[in-house]
């Protein structure tokens, strides 16, 4: 289960950096509709485009593994 809200994360980071989602899509060489679909998916998804988008916004991604309770 992905606990991050990718849509909010990307939108906030775009606002912080003064970049629209369309501009971000252009920076990573994809279309604005694809970026929108990627960040609006109900299931969390991290792929190369997502990593490239956060890189262009000036962010690294850190994965944290948390043991499930009762496992």
């Amino acid at each position: 289960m992905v606990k991050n809200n990718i849509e909010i994360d990307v939108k906030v980071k775009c606002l912080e950096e003064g970049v629209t989602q369309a501009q971000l899509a252009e920076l990573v060489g994809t279309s604005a509709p694809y970026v929108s679909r990627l960040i609006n998916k109900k299931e969390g998804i991290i792929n190369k485009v997502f990593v490239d988008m956060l890189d262009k916004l000036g962010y690294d991604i850190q994965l944290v593994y948390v043991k499930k309770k009762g496992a």
Side-chain angles (χ1 to χ4, degrees):
M1 174 165 96
V2 175
K3 293 194 179 206
N4 294 337
N5 187 329
I6 291 172
E7 179 181 6
I8 290 175
D9 289 347
V10 171
K11 287 180 178 180
V12 167
K13 286 169 181 38
C14 282
L15 286 173
E16 290 173 351
E17 299 302 319
V19 176
T20 66
Q21 288 179 38
Q23 291 168 325
L24 182 57
E26 189 174 317
L27 288 172
V28 298
T30 193
S31 68
Y34 179 74
V35 167
S36 183
R37 281 194 314 273
L38 179 67
I39 66 172
N40 288 315
K41 287 187 75 122
K42 295 297 178 208
E43 302 86 29
I45 181 168
I46 297 178
N47 65 14
K48 183 179 180 336
V49 173
F50 178 77
V51 172
D52 288 347
M53 289 187 325
L54 288 189
D55 180 61
K56 294 296 182 190
L57 290 169
Y59 291 88
D60 286 327
I61 297 172
Q62 294 181 343
L63 296 176
V64 177
Y65 297 96
V66 179
K67 182 108 172 134
K68 292 180 181 180
K69 293 181 179 166

